[in-house]
């Protein structure tokens, strides 16, 4: 579980997060949705400590990161898996070494054991026979999947994904969404996914947080999202023609 | 004001480089990789430049002494003095600021802009130790590069002097031995070590704290070359003043 209280973050004069309070539950896929530029990535980076918010507190279970000493923070970070929006693969390493990296850093496994684990996660993201290639030699969608593999390889307790399926075809995107949800349930971890993809919302939205202009404007489940008359939600959801049509069909059927 | 901040952040960076070290087995591998990239990878250009510049120094010295009272061995003597005191340690280091320095800045800088450094930090790795410490260790081998430069510079002088018909081998060698002051070697290698530290850390600082995108990586590399050279020249002046002028 991750709980945040009144997080504020500015860059220069521009206030990006204007005081956000919410709880992300364990064993559930928590989604942060919102328009481009609404502060989703900034919020995620505050959660993992890459940005220091000016105000507010962030609790992992019962302990605030602000109260942790360096060692405690480091231990916490070993339990975090993070997928960056741009992938952030190490381009000096091949795919296998990229995925193996967290294992090499933090586990005492033998090389052969690590390799077995690496191949296992690569298979889960539908990637085989790319082990020896370098990030620059595979497609953007494949890079994304490698990053997911790297994020989950060390069985994190907290999984953060910044737009895991942008740049993927609908089929692969669904596979990745389902994989994230499976892992979340299987290991009972706290997962936070940033997305503006309505398909993901429908697939895995167990707890959805909608950001707008640096504020949390709505929170609920994927079932709630179609029932609410919250204007911000309807604007976000029905910005897609497809969902508008689905709604019209539902209304006409009633 | 900006400069004071920069100096502050440079020394803070150094503090972090030497704290919470990366796993030893990984660090070892990184060090070997840096030795390969920064040291071994520079030998070719260093050898080439040293040999030919050494030759030019010998030819210039020979051409400039018309006075018959000046002894023949001066060609060897002048080559030795210029190569050992300045050319190999200082000017080679300026060239390395261009080669090694901008390589370091652009490789760390592109890791910064593509969030690879953030990825290291999120995993709980001290990214400064991971990235910069191996470079500092690798550049402990930099004096070997400079020793090779000294040797080849003098060899180049000998080849150009003797085969160009400017001096005889015997008097060139006599010049090499004339008034030899061992402390000059100490001085040359002492400043080489200082330059090595500058070469490893200043470009790293430039890359690590850069902001922006690919274009800024290019700018940071240019800046890095300018600042590294300026600092090398300045510290050369200070060390020379302190060690040789008393
Ligand atoms: N490092 C930074 N320095 C200054 N401003 C920043 C920085 N990072 C983000 N911002 C600003 O914060 C705002 C929110 O950015 P953020 O990346 O969180 O958007 P987002 O919701 O993730 O959008 P997208 O869906 O396009 O990824 C933007 O206006 C951006 O300009
Ligand atoms: Mg974003």
């Amino acid at each position: 579980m991750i709980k945040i209280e009144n997080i504020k973050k500015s860059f220069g004069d521009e206030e990006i997060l204007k005081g956000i309070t919410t709880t992300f539950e364990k064993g559930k896929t928590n989604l942060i949705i919102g328009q481009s530029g609404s502060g989703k990535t900034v919020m995620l980076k505050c959660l993992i400590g890459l940005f220091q918010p000016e105000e507010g507190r962030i609790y992992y279970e019962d302990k605030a990161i602000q109260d942790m000493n360096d060692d405690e923070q480091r231990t916490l970070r070993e339990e975090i898996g993070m997928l960056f929006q741009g992938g952030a693969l190490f381009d000096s390493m091949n795919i296998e070494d990229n995925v193996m990296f967290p294992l090499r850093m933090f586990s005492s496994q033998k090389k052969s054991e690590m390799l077995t684990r690496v191949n296992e996660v690569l298979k889960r993201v539908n990637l085989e026979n790319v082990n020896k290639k370098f990030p620059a030699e595979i497609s953007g969608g494949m890079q994304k999947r490698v990053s997911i593999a790297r994020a989950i390889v060390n069985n994190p307790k907290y999984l953060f994904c910044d737009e895991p399926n942008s740049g993927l075809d609908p089929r692969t995107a669904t596979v990745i969404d389902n994989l994230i949800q499976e892992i979340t349930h299987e290991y009972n971890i706290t997962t936070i996914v940033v997305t503006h993809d309505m398909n993901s919302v429908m697939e895995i939205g167990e707890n959805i947080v909608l950001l707008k202009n640096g504020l949390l404007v709505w929170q609920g489940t994927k079932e709630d999202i179609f029932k609410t008359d919250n204007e911000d939600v309807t604007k976000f959801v029905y910005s897609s023609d497809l969902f508008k049509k689905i709604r019209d069909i539902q209304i006409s059927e009633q | 004001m900006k400069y004071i901040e920069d100096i502050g952040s440079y020394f803070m960076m150094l503090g972090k480089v030497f704290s919470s070290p990366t796993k030893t087995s990984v660090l070892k591998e990184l060090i070997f990789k840096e030795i390969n990239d920064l040291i071994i990878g520079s030998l070719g250009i260093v050898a080439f430049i040293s040999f030919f510049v050494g030759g030019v120094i010998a030819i210039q010295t020979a051409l400039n002494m018309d006075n018959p009272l000046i002894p023949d061995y001066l060609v060897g003597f002048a080559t030795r003095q210029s190569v050992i005191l300045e050319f190999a340690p200082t000017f080679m280091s300026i060239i390395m600021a261009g080669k090694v320095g901008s390589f370091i800045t652009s490789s760390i800088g592109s890791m910064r802009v593509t969030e690879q450094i953030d990825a290291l930090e999120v995993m709980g790795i001290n990214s400064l130790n991971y990235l910069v410490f191996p470079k500092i260790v690798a550049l402990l081998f930099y004096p070997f590069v400079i020793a090779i430069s000294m040797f080849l510079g003098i060899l180049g002088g000998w080849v150009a002097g003797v085969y160009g018909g400017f001096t005889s081998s015997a008097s060139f060698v006599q010049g090499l031995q004339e008034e030899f002051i061992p402390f000059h070697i100490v001085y040359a290698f002492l400043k080489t070590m200082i330059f090595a530290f500058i070469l490893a850390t200043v470009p790293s600082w430039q890359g690590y704290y850069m902001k922006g995108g690919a274009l800024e990586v290019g700018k940071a590399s240019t800046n890095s070359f300018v600042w590294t050279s300026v600092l090398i020249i300045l510290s050369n002046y200070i060390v020379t003043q302190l060690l040789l002028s008393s």
Side-chain angles (χ1 to χ4, degrees), chain A residues 117-167:
Chain A
R117 173 70 184 149
V118 166
N119 287 324
E120 190 183 307
V121 286
L122 279 175
K123 200 167 171 190
R124 281 194 95 160
V125 295
N126 278 337
L127 278 177
E128 276 158 293
N129 307 321
V130 292
N131 287 36
K132 298 294 174 200
K133 292 200 170 164
F134 282 84
E137 297 169 342
I138 59 176
S139 76
M142 288 161 106
Q143 288 176 13
K144 203 103 205 197
R145 284 181 278 157
V146 175
S147 317
I148 295 173
R150 185 178 69 182
I152 61 175
V153 71
N154 204 16
N155 293 321
K157 271 167 90 177
Y158 307 95
L159 179 61
F160 299 88
C161 302
D162 198 346
E163 303 195 11
N165 46 26
S166 66

Side-chain angles (χ1 to χ4, degrees), chain A residues 9-12 14-17 32-45 51 85 162-163 194-196 211, chain B residues 211:
Chain A
K9 174 72 192 168
S10 310
F11 292 107
E14 207 184 348
E15 198 173 28
I16 307 296
L17 302 179
I32 302 175
I33 61 174
Q35 277 180 10
S36 182
S38 56
K40 305 183 296 294
T41 300
V42 171
M43 178 155 157
L44 206 60
K45 288 190 174 173
F51 288 155
Q85 192 164 357
D162 198 346
E163 303 195 11
V194 165
T195 185
H196 31 56
L211 293 192
Chain B
K211 292 195 171 80

Side-chain angles (χ1 to χ4, degrees), chain A residues 42-56:
Chain A
V42 171
M43 178 155 157
L44 206 60
K45 288 190 174 173
C46 286
L47 287 176
I48 56 180
L50 280 178
F51 288 155
Q52 258 66 50
E54 285 91 42
E55 259 185 63

Side-chain angles (χ1 to χ4, degrees), chain B residues 180-215:
Chain B
F180 178 71
I181 303 170
F183 184 68
H184 282 177
I185 301 282
V186 175
Y187 156 81
F189 280 103
L190 199 85
K191 65 184 191 177
T192 299
M193 288 308 292
I194 295 172
F195 300 159
F197 192 75
I198 294 174
L199 275 176
T201 53
V202 174
S204 295
W205 179 82
Q206 290 274 356
Y208 192 86
Y209 290 104
M210 64 154 295
K211 292 195 171 80
L215 186 64

Side-chain angles (χ1 to χ4, degrees), chain B residues 90-220:
Chain B
T90 312
F91 289 94
M92 238 29 243
S93 297
I94 302 282
I95 291 165
M96 286 300 108
K99 187 182 185 305
V100 171
S102 47
F103 172 73
I104 291 176
T105 305
S106 58
S107 63
I108 296 184
S110 66
M111 288 186 74
R112 166 62 73 198
V113 302
T114 56
E115 297 183 312
Q116 293 175 51
I117 292 181
D118 289 341
L120 288 170
E121 288 290 324
V122 172
M123 291 178 201
I125 294 163
N126 175 357
S127 57
L128 277 170
N129 176 266
Y130 181 91
L131 293 170
V132 184
F133 184 75
K135 294 182 171 59
I136 295 177
V137 175
L139 281 170
L140 288 176
F141 291 91
Y142 186 60
F144 290 106
V145 176
I146 296 308
I148 289 170
S149 169
M150 287 174 179
F151 173 76
L152 288 175
I154 290 172
L155 183 70
W158 180 82
V159 170
V162 174
Y163 289 92
F166 297 104
T167 177
S168 70
S169 177
S171 58
F172 189 91
V173 173
Q174 188 200 346
L176 290 184
Q177 293 163 338
E178 201 67 28
E179 283 179 59
F180 178 71
I181 303 170
F183 184 68
H184 282 177
I185 301 282
V186 175
Y187 156 81
F189 280 103
L190 199 85
K191 65 184 191 177
T192 299
M193 288 308 292
I194 295 172
F195 300 159
F197 192 75
I198 294 174
L199 275 176
T201 53
V202 174
S204 295
W205 179 82
Q206 290 274 356
Y208 192 86
Y209 290 104
M210 64 154 295
K211 292 195 171 80
L215 186 64
E216 282 78 9
V217 175
K219 281 187 197 151

